[in-house]
Amino acid sequence: MRLLSRIIVVVVCLQLLLIFGSWIANAYGFEVQSLLSASGIRWTFGKMIGQTASSYLVWLLVIAFTYGVVRKANFNLHASDYRNRLAWRAVITMTILFIACIIMLAFVPHAVLRSVTGELFPSPFATSLVPFAAFFILLTSVIYGCIVNSFKCISDVISAMCNGITIFSPLIILYLLIADFVCSLLYVFVA
C-alpha cells in the first residue's frame, strides 16, 4: 500500500508539473497547448469523464468484484466432505458448459462472436473476453460458495463484491490519475 501511495503521489506531481510546465512553455513560444489557457481549461473540464471512462476501467471494476467473491467463496482443494466434493463437481460441470459455449459462439465456422471478416481478433469475442471470463469465475465462485455455505444469502454475495471493490480502490484511483495524466499529455503535445 505504501508503494502504491508513493506512485499516486508521483503521478499527481507529474500532472501538476505538466499543468504548469505547459503554461510556461506556451508563454515562451513553444508549440504546446497550455492546460491553463481558456481552451485548456475547457478541454480539462469538458473531457474529464470521457477521457477516463474506458473499457479498461470497466475491466478493473469487474475484476475487482470478481476477486472479492472468489476470496469469500473459500475454495478448498483438500477438504473431502460431501459439500466440498459436490461444489467441485458443480464447478467442473460449469467449466465444461462454459468451454462448450465458447466453442459454439466463437470457434466454429460462421460463429456469432467472430468479426464480419471471420476473424477472432478484432471481434466481439476479443472485446468481451475479460468481462466474460470474469463473469464465469464470479458465477462458479458463487455456486461453489453457496454449496459449501460460504454464501448464505444474496447479501453475502453483494458484500463480497463490495469488499473486492474496497480492496481494489487504490488501483482504481491510480488508474483514474494515470488516464487523466496520459490524456493531458496528449493534449499538450499532440492537440
Side-chain angles (χ1 to χ4, degrees):
M1 185 61 130
R2 223 171 208 184
L3 175 65
L4 201 55
S5 299
R6 289 180 180 160
I7 293 171
I8 288 172
V9 168
V10 167
V11 172
V12 168
C13 290
L14 286 172
Q15 180 73 13
L16 291 172
L17 184 66
L18 181 65
I19 290 169
F20 291 110
S22 68
W23 175 56
I24 292 169
N26 188 275
Y28 278 105
F30 290 102
E31 292 292 321
V32 296
Q33 297 288 330
S34 172
L35 287 168
L36 290 177
S37 68
S39 62
I41 292 171
R42 276 192 300 276
W43 178 85
T44 299
F45 285 96
K47 303 286 184 182
M48 187 175 291
I49 298 299
Q51 67 194 15
T52 56
S54 72
S55 58
Y56 300 117
L57 179 60
V58 173
W59 290 0
L60 185 60
L61 292 171
V62 167
I63 290 168
F65 62 70
T66 300
Y67 174 77
V69 172
V70 168
R71 200 165 164 242
K72 177 70 174 159
N74 294 326
F75 283 95
N76 189 346
L77 290 171
H78 304 294
S80 61
D81 62 331
Y82 175 74
R83 282 183 180 268
N84 196 47
R85 286 194 314 268
L86 182 64
W88 278 111
R89 285 185 190 130
V91 167
I92 291 168
T93 303
M94 286 293 298
T95 304
I96 292 168
L97 290 173
F98 175 77
I99 292 170
C101 285
I102 290 292
I103 289 170
M104 289 187 295
L105 291 172
F107 291 101
V108 297
H110 307 292
V112 175
L113 292 180
R114 286 185 176 263
S115 69
V116 175
T117 59
E119 301 295 321
L120 278 176
F121 298 98
S123 69
F125 171 75
T127 57
S128 65
L129 192 58
V130 171
F132 198 55
F135 176 73
F136 163 72
I137 293 168
L138 180 117
L139 186 62
T140 55
S141 299
V142 168
I143 290 170
Y144 181 90
C146 287
I147 293 172
V148 298
N149 218 12
S150 294
F151 300 122
K152 295 176 180 41
C153 60
I154 191 70
S155 64
D156 291 343
V157 175
I158 301 298
S159 175
M161 292 170 126
C162 292
N163 189 17
I165 296 287
T166 301
I167 292 168
F168 272 66
S169 60
L171 287 175
I172 294 168
I173 293 168
L174 181 63
Y175 165 80
L176 292 172
L177 291 172
I178 288 174
D180 189 49
F181 174 71
V182 168
C183 289
S184 297
L185 198 64
L186 291 173
Y187 174 79
V188 168
F189 293 107
V190 177

